[in-house]
Amino acid sequence: MDLSSYTCELCILQKMLNVAYIFLRCNFPKACWNSIGILVITTRPILQIIRQIKNKLTVPFFMEGIDPSVKMCKSKFKYEFSLLLHGARPALVPSMNVWLHTL
């Protein structure tokens, strides 16, 4: 994706964006985690941070154990895109639907 900037717009540090920064290391997501009682120690490796969050949440559900596959990703994308059709401009729905069914 071509963006005008690849730095974080949510904080004053203007760090380069990556998944870890967007979800764990920026001050904004840290505040979000903190609001539900999770203190994220960002100097740890990502997998260790995720395990820490899982252990702290102590809930009977968590996203794990699903091996990623192109087929599963494509299926999920098609499902999510089909939900967008409900909010799309009516004039665009037919062409969006045709495109979706060609995938």
Side-chain angles (χ1 to χ4, degrees):
M1 179 183 300
D2 186 32
L3 301 174
S4 59
S5 170
Y6 293 96
T7 58
C8 183
E9 299 293 330
L10 297 174
C11 66
I12 61 171
L13 299 176
Q14 295 295 295
K15 296 275 187 161
M16 290 296 290
L17 292 175
N18 61 45
V19 173
Y21 195 78
I22 292 170
F23 291 104
L24 301 169
R25 294 199 166 118
C26 174
N27 288 330
F28 181 75
K30 285 196 285 190
C32 292
W33 286 114
N34 200 18
S35 75
I36 60 169
I38 305 294
L39 175 64
V40 176
I41 301 171
T42 59
T43 55
R44 294 181 177 166
I46 298 302
L47 291 177
Q48 194 174 6
I49 294 171
I50 292 170
R51 275 189 231 106
Q52 171 198 355
I53 292 170
K54 177 185 175 187
N55 293 337
K56 181 70 174 174
L57 287 175
T58 62
V59 293
F61 53 87
F62 200 78
M63 291 184 65
E64 65 177 86
I66 300 171
D67 290 328
S69 72
V70 172
K71 183 179 177 181
M72 184 178 69
C73 183
K74 185 177 177 180
S75 174
K76 182 69 172 170
F77 173 80
K78 289 172 76 172
Y79 172 75
E80 294 292 334
F81 191 84
S82 71
L83 294 177
L84 291 175
L85 294 174
H86 298 289
R89 282 188 276 158
L92 297 177
V93 172
S95 60
M96 291 170 75
N97 224 342
V98 167
W99 178 77
L100 180 62
H101 291 307
T102 62
L103 297 178

